[in-house]
Amino acid sequence: MKAFFDTEFTGLHKDTTLISIGVAYENNHFFYAELTDYDTTQIDDWLQENVINNLFLQDMKDNTYKFDEGMKTKYVRGTKDFVAKELDFWHQYLFHTEPLEIWSDCLSYDWVLFNDLYGHAFNIPDNIYYIPFDICTLFKVKGIDPDINRESFAFNTDEDIKKFDRDFKGIEKGKHNALWDAKVIKACYEKLIVTE
């Protein structure tokens, strides 16, 4: 099973902290979490406007979760430890011990922060494949500029947009929201693997 994920975090530096994580699974289930213990002193104007303002779980209590109506999406709000525990429970619920292949966009920060959820790389659950993959490399291999606008690539026809809206009905939209970006990564991957 493939899982396409994205994170939002407090800056492109070594002391960055995780703000949110979104995961779009191959089987059209989703996980989205907003962390409550990120370093707020690192939030600048750009992060406030483009990331913090795209969070949508502020009405949930700390260290709680909820599901959407069809039980396809799990929403979590809490500390890093709570989010890691709930993500692991979600994986066990959906996949039991089935191997999970992790995909991201430009994954250098995403993968480090994913591992940090569990303390370090040796603590990630056994069913998660320890080598991550990225669509930037897949774009390059397919002869497409890796810096291409992801939404334009994924949704360049009316049918693409209709399918996306159908598959992701009810999920918040907006670039720099981790769940939205995870869905876009999944859509790009699906288009790339059929591109000749």
Side-chain angles (χ1 to χ4, degrees):
M1 176 66 64
K2 291 177 178 57
F4 304 89
F5 88 106
D6 184 67
T7 63
E8 298 299 336
F9 44 89
T10 57
L12 297 169
H13 51 80
K14 71 180 183 66
D15 296 319
T16 194
T17 57
L18 188 61
I19 297 171
S20 63
I21 182 170
V23 188
Y25 300 92
E26 200 171 17
N27 65 357
N28 283 339
H29 281 78
F30 308 95
F31 178 91
Y32 176 69
E34 294 177 5
L35 285 84
T36 56
D37 55 355
Y38 63 89
D39 185 351
T40 58
T41 66
Q42 296 181 22
I43 301 300
D44 59 23
D45 291 342
W46 188 94
L47 285 167
Q48 182 65 49
E49 182 178 340
N50 294 284
V51 175
I52 304 302
N53 290 350
N54 283 327
L55 301 175
F56 58 92
L57 300 181
Q58 295 93 332
D59 292 341
M60 288 177 61
K61 293 181 180 177
D62 289 359
N63 293 332
T64 59
Y65 63 88
K66 66 181 180 180
F67 297 96
D68 68 347
E69 190 175 303
M71 296 285 289
K72 287 191 157 251
T73 305
K74 183 175 188 177
Y75 298 99
V76 177
R77 185 170 190 274
T79 63
K80 183 173 79 168
D81 291 340
F82 184 78
V83 168
K85 180 182 74 163
E86 293 304 321
L87 181 58
D88 192 38
F89 286 159
W90 186 239
H91 288 159
Q92 297 307 317
Y93 166 74
L94 290 178
F95 312 113
H96 306 288
T97 59
E98 181 180 346
L100 198 58
E101 190 176 284
I102 302 291
W103 283 79
S104 188
D105 190 348
C106 301
L107 59 71
S108 54
Y109 283 92
D110 293 323
W111 183 243
V112 169
L113 289 166
F114 182 88
N115 281 275
D116 188 56
L117 272 175
Y118 298 101
H120 58 74
F122 295 137
N123 289 345
I124 63 172
D126 291 340
N127 66 320
I128 295 177
Y129 189 48
Y130 73 97
I131 298 174
F133 302 94
D134 67 278
I135 64 167
C136 286
T137 302
L138 197 51
F139 275 119
K140 181 79 170 168
V141 168
K142 294 284 188 170
I144 300 167
D145 181 1
D147 197 32
I148 192 170
N149 179 284
R150 304 302 191 243
E151 285 85 356
S152 296
F153 176 79
F155 317 125
N156 63 359
T157 69
D158 287 343
E159 185 54 38
D160 289 339
I161 293 167
K162 285 178 189 172
K163 180 185 182 309
F164 193 73
D165 285 343
R166 211 172 34 246
D167 289 348
F168 304 113
K169 185 178 179 185
I171 298 175
E172 295 290 325
K173 296 180 182 181
K175 192 170 183 67
H176 300 302
N177 172 276
L179 185 54
W180 167 260
D181 290 342
K183 295 183 302 178
V184 171
I185 294 165
K186 179 180 183 288
C188 286
Y189 173 85
E190 289 169 346
K191 197 162 189 179
L192 282 164
I193 62 168
V194 298
T195 303
E196 294 300 324

